[in-house]
Amino acid sequence: MQVQAHWDPISDSTYNLHQLTEEQFARVKVRCPELVNMEWKQALELFNTKPAYPLKDYNTTDFQVFLPSSTAKVGDIWELDSEEILPFFRQFHSGATTEITIFSHRTPKSDGAKACLRAISSDYAEIVFRIHAQFVLDAPGVRLLPAQFAGRLILNRKEGAVVDFSLFLPSRNSNVDVNAFKAADMAFIPRMELSNLSSTPVHEIAWETVITEKESRKKLATAFYKFAEIEWIPIEDAVELAEGTNRPIHA
């Protein structure tokens, strides 16, 4: 399967760490010379991101990392081997890693990759997944930490072939952290995605057992974070519920 990569540069951030002025960069070099062994224009080029491989061919065996090791039913969650996933992320950049580090400190609780069987029929199965990864750019201490990567894979069960695949950075107002020059920033990348060039018309598949996309993403989130089980409600409803049960909201 031929997979295409898209990687837009940062389009917005809180502190513009990716677009320091020449004067700002000069001050950074004075403050931490051991980390900034480059010129201003080289620093700007660090964040002018583009895929290492705009197109790459994968074999069917490459996608086996996303499959469960034993029989699964719709809604089941399983762990993915982070090391075996790395070739997909290195289509973006050779510095991809699934070991999350913030300012040289490992944060194992942020690591991980999990998948969920979302739908199944006699002919097809759809797997959705959530993966945490980061990219060590071509300078000491410069990292991009996407909030998460989401994706899906549709498998032809009879042929054992992958017919649809995508892996992407969800789009929201800030979806990546920037660690560089002993500083941090929150930024937005409009599009960062891997997707196959041709696929089966998935909307035509008649699923026999299925959960919604929202349900599957919720299951993945709660598998990573216990607090994701909290059911949030509008403040007006919370006030009404508190009054009806005679329980203060902040009890």
Side-chain angles (χ1 to χ4, degrees):
M1 172 179 282
Q2 195 168 52
V3 172
Q4 186 173 25
H6 297 273
W7 190 359
D8 293 342
I10 293 170
S11 67
D12 189 25
S13 72
T14 303
Y15 303 112
N16 286 327
L17 191 57
H18 67 296
Q19 287 183 328
L20 295 177
T21 66
E22 191 168 6
E23 181 181 352
Q24 289 171 328
F25 185 73
R27 291 200 296 267
V28 168
K29 288 191 73 170
V30 171
R31 189 176 73 245
C32 45
E34 73 283 3
L35 290 179
V36 192
N37 185 22
M38 68 184 79
E39 299 304 316
W40 171 58
K41 289 186 178 180
Q42 291 175 297
L44 294 181
E45 191 62 27
L46 277 176
F47 300 102
N48 186 24
T49 51
K50 57 185 178 181
Y53 303 96
L55 289 174
K56 187 176 178 181
D57 290 316
Y58 293 91
N59 298 319
T60 300
T61 53
D62 294 325
F63 293 96
Q64 289 181 352
V65 63
F66 297 102
L67 306 183
S69 58
S70 58
T71 302
K73 61 181 183 296
V74 169
D76 281 354
I77 303 285
W78 60 92
E79 296 275 351
L80 302 179
D81 188 317
S82 297
E83 288 299 312
E84 292 186 12
I85 290 169
L86 278 177
F88 291 93
F89 286 98
R90 287 177 178 161
Q91 185 173 349
F92 290 121
H93 192 280
S94 61
T97 175
T98 52
E99 293 187 352
I100 307 302
T101 305
I102 300 176
F103 294 125
S104 301
H105 298 290
R106 284 277 289 113
T107 57
K109 290 184 179 180
S110 298
D111 293 354
K114 302 180 190 294
C116 173
L117 181 60
R118 192 191 79 83
I120 198 165
S121 72
S122 57
D123 294 330
Y124 296 97
E126 179 177 325
I127 294 167
V128 296
F129 44 87
R130 173 175 176 156
I131 304 169
H132 293 184
Q134 72 172 6
F135 298 86
V136 181
L137 302 187
D138 303 322
V142 180
R143 297 180 175 87
L144 295 182
L145 293 86
Q148 63 160 291
F149 283 91
R152 75 169 184 178
L153 176 152
I154 296 182
L155 178 73
N156 184 314
R157 300 177 66 196
K158 292 184 176 179
E159 298 178 5
V162 175
V163 297
D164 194 57
F165 172 76
S166 65
L167 184 154
F168 59 93
L169 174 63
S171 180
R172 61 190 194 192
N173 57 354
S174 61
N175 57 8
V176 61
D177 287 347
V178 180
N179 284 182
F181 318 131
K182 291 188 176 180
D185 199 357
M186 294 183 295
F188 173 65
I189 294 177
R191 186 182 185 191
M192 188 174 184
E193 180 179 15
L194 301 180
S195 59
N196 58 298
L197 291 179
S198 60
S199 65
T200 297
V202 295
H203 62 278
E204 297 178 3
I205 297 176
W207 299 113
E208 296 167 10
T209 308
V210 61
I211 60 175
T212 66
E213 181 86 9
K214 183 178 180 179
E215 287 175 306
S216 63
R217 296 297 174 193
K218 176 76 170 180
K219 283 179 173 288
L220 288 169
T222 55
F224 275 98
Y225 306 114
K226 190 70 175 175
F227 67 78
E229 296 179 1
I230 298 172
E231 294 293 337
W232 300 98
I233 61 175
I235 185 62
E236 297 83 1
D237 295 345
V239 170
E240 183 179 347
L241 182 62
E243 291 175 348
T245 58
N246 197 29
R247 295 176 62 186
I249 291 177
H250 295 290

